[in-house]
Amino acid sequence: MATIDVPEQVSVLADAEALRKACKGWGTDEKAIISVLGHRNAVQRKQIRLAYEDLYQEDLIKRLESELSGDFEKAVYRWILDPADRDAVLANVAIKKLSPDHHVIVEISCTRSPEELLAVRRAYQARYKHSLEEDVAAHTKGDTRKAYHVEVRKEVKLRASVLVSKARSDAWISLSLEDLRPSEIAPTSIDITTSNRGVQSDSVGLRSSRHIKEVKGCRSLVPEMLSDDQLLVALVSAFRYDGEEINTRVANSEAKILHEAVKDKEFNHEDIIRILSTRSKMQLMATFNRYRDDHGTTITKNLEGDSGDEFLKALRTTIRCLNDPKKYFEKVLRNSIRRVGTDEDALTRVIVTRAEKDLKDIKELYHKRNSVPLDQAVAKDTTGDYKALLLTLLGKED
């Protein structure tokens, strides 16, 4: 449930005039701005913007940007935008950072409905004149694969030795692994020549192949692996089925696929990315529940590993956002407040994007898990007009 308190009847013309008055003169009346915008929903805020422009031939957003500053200005700017346009801005800011905030891209992709995500992609194109997908691919490629490549080298060598031991009795194997490039995640070449013990001699060259085929029942040395940018592009491009129906057989089968990939540490296996980016949220919840019931632990627990592995972080965030978004948002709020120095970007993002949706439920979960009301924690960690706006959106006046 939403937390903002919206009057049953409002006059957008009166609101536009009140905002004009708040911005005129030597000083800005921040309290008046909060009293108007903090109690209006997305439709009303859009009507106010249009009314303001008609009355004063001026863009309200630009006027507020020139009048306000700091965290308060950023929060007001995020709040006054249409939800889809806001998400487009959040995504662009996250992408363009020196170290891109992959979790923000995942959050937007996995907690919005299919129609909402489609609207975000359209808003992104309209605002930035190119697609969200191409920007994600261009600015995340290679950023989170480094730690994984070290593990790939180890895994290739281990699997090569297993294959050699299994095939030694009836095959001669020559593996060229020295030229293995992590970015390609496949050996430059592999030649397998079987003996003539009832088997036709064969020579297989996989120089152009992205993965190594099965040999006499052995699994691939390196299964098809996809990179972090491919995961993120797949998520932002998704248009999932949004209904309630699930397929139990598929849930059982894909829980096994996920477990095998996780057990073998093939975290960016194509099947993981395919499942997470195409299945409906209800179907994925059934799959995650099957995984937990079969193995006595959640998939996210099994994905815990190197804290510096950005791909694993993105994968865990994806699953948490898809499986239980309210729990995910509660954790983001908790971390933003508990850290040394408040993470205002994360705090603002969650409160502004969830205030009209499910922030009341998130508040209750926060109180239950932390034994402190969220508005009390926010009031303690913030100050001034920024604090007043956040508390207003939380449904509690300062």
Side-chain angles (χ1 to χ4, degrees):
M1 293 178 63
T3 52
I4 62 166
D5 181 18
V6 180
E8 290 185 8
Q9 292 185 337
V10 299
S11 168
V12 295
L13 290 176
D15 286 344
E17 291 169 358
L19 291 171
R20 174 74 169 184
K21 183 178 179 181
C23 294
K24 286 185 69 176
W26 289 102
T28 305
D29 188 349
E30 289 86 356
K31 286 185 173 57
I33 293 172
I34 295 170
S35 68
V36 174
L37 296 179
H39 295 283
R40 301 295 183 268
N41 62 32
V43 173
Q44 293 165 341
R45 296 194 301 275
K46 183 173 184 178
Q47 291 172 340
I48 292 169
R49 294 200 313 271
L50 295 174
Y52 187 96
E53 188 166 359
D54 284 343
L55 286 172
Y56 306 110
Q57 289 74 54
E58 182 181 48
D59 188 316
L60 175 59
I61 295 177
K62 290 182 179 178
R63 182 60 186 263
L64 291 172
E65 282 184 298
S66 69
E67 294 286 335
L68 310 177
S69 61
D71 293 321
F72 179 55
E73 181 271 324
K74 189 181 292 185
V76 170
Y77 176 70
R78 300 281 195 268
W79 178 244
I80 201 170
L81 291 174
D82 290 337
D85 204 27
R86 176 203 300 142
D87 280 345
V89 170
L90 289 171
N92 184 260
V93 170
I95 291 167
K96 296 297 178 67
K97 283 187 176 181
L98 189 60
S99 297
D101 284 338
H102 301 113
H103 62 279
V104 175
I105 305 301
V106 172
E107 180 183 303
I108 292 169
S109 303
C110 298
T111 63
R112 280 32 168 188
S113 72
E115 291 293 344
E116 287 171 341
L117 182 55
L118 184 60
V120 173
R121 302 211 314 260
R122 286 173 174 156
Y124 194 99
Q125 264 193 31
R127 178 177 277 266
Y128 301 109
K129 310 309 176 190
H130 33 92
S131 74
L132 175 58
E133 297 92 325
E134 67 179 306
D135 272 4
V136 167
H139 289 85
T140 61
K141 189 172 184 180
D143 286 335
T144 66
R145 281 181 280 175
K146 294 177 183 176
Y148 185 76
H149 292 157
V150 175
E151 296 304 317
V152 167
R153 284 185 178 275
K154 294 177 182 176
E155 189 71 11
V156 167
K157 290 181 180 179
L158 174 62
R159 294 194 181 195
S161 64
V162 170
L163 180 58
V164 168
S165 64
K166 286 187 176 181
R168 183 170 291 151
S169 61
D170 58 3
W172 176 80
I173 301 175
S174 173
L175 299 173
S176 298
L177 297 175
E178 292 304 315
D179 293 329
L180 175 64
R181 295 184 179 90
S183 60
E184 296 170 359
I185 317 183
T188 348
S189 65
I190 174 172
D191 295 316
I192 302 175
T193 307
T194 61
S195 71
N196 58 4
R197 194 183 305 170
V199 182
Q200 183 179 357
S201 294
D202 191 16
S203 179
V204 182
L206 298 178
R207 190 173 297 273
S208 63
S209 176
R210 294 192 60 201
H211 67 288
I212 300 171
K213 306 294 183 182
E214 291 187 2
V215 180
K216 296 180 73 65
C218 295
R219 294 184 60 189
S220 303
L221 285 182
V222 185
E224 184 77 22
M225 297 294 180
L226 302 182
S227 57
D228 59 292
D229 54 305
Q230 289 167 301
L231 168 64
L232 297 178
V233 169
L235 292 175
V236 299
S237 305
F239 191 81
R240 305 171 190 273
Y241 167 65
D242 201 28
E244 300 289 322
E245 292 185 22
I246 62 170
N247 186 317
T248 304
R249 180 184 57 79
V250 170
N252 295 342
S253 170
E254 294 188 338
K256 291 178 182 177
I257 291 172
L258 291 175
H259 181 256
E260 285 298 312
V262 170
K263 182 181 69 173
D264 293 340
K265 299 189 182 301
E266 295 166 0
F267 301 124
N268 61 346
H269 193 286
E270 61 176 343
D271 280 337
I272 291 185
I273 296 176
R274 173 186 60 79
I275 291 167
L276 295 181
S277 63
T278 62
R279 297 302 186 196
S280 73
K281 293 178 182 180
M282 293 300 294
Q283 182 67 44
L284 286 168
M285 288 174 65
T287 299
F288 299 148
N289 288 338
R290 180 78 265 171
Y291 186 106
R292 183 198 60 214
D293 292 344
D294 286 347
H295 307 291
T297 187
T298 63
I299 185 171
T300 50
K301 288 288 184 184
N302 282 159
L303 286 171
E304 290 178 353
D306 182 5
S307 60
D309 190 328
E310 292 297 327
F311 187 89
L312 266 181
K313 285 182 184 178
L315 207 55
R316 288 194 296 267
T317 301
T318 299
I319 293 170
R320 285 170 178 151
C321 286
L322 290 167
N323 193 40
D324 196 339
K326 293 174 187 176
K327 188 176 177 180
Y328 163 80
F329 284 121
E330 183 279 327
K331 187 172 182 179
V332 173
L333 288 171
R334 178 166 20 108
N335 290 341
S336 71
I337 293 171
R338 281 187 175 180
R339 61 178 289 174
V340 179
T342 308
D343 183 351
E344 287 84 1
D345 282 347
L347 182 63
T348 301
R349 187 180 75 250
V350 175
I351 291 178
V352 164
T353 59
R354 309 315 294 182
E356 295 179 85
K357 291 180 172 290
D358 52 7
L359 190 53
K360 186 173 183 180
D361 300 322
I362 296 168
K363 279 178 62 177
E364 291 173 357
L365 184 58
Y366 184 95
H367 194 179
K368 181 179 179 181
R369 295 175 72 91
N370 301 279
S371 302
V372 177
L374 178 58
D375 39 39
Q376 183 178 320
V378 169
K380 184 178 178 181
D381 260 45
T382 57
T383 59
D385 298 316
Y386 174 59
K387 166 185 169 182
L389 175 61
L390 294 188
L391 291 178
T392 300
L393 298 183
L394 283 165
K396 186 176 178 64
E397 302 293 336
D398 189 7

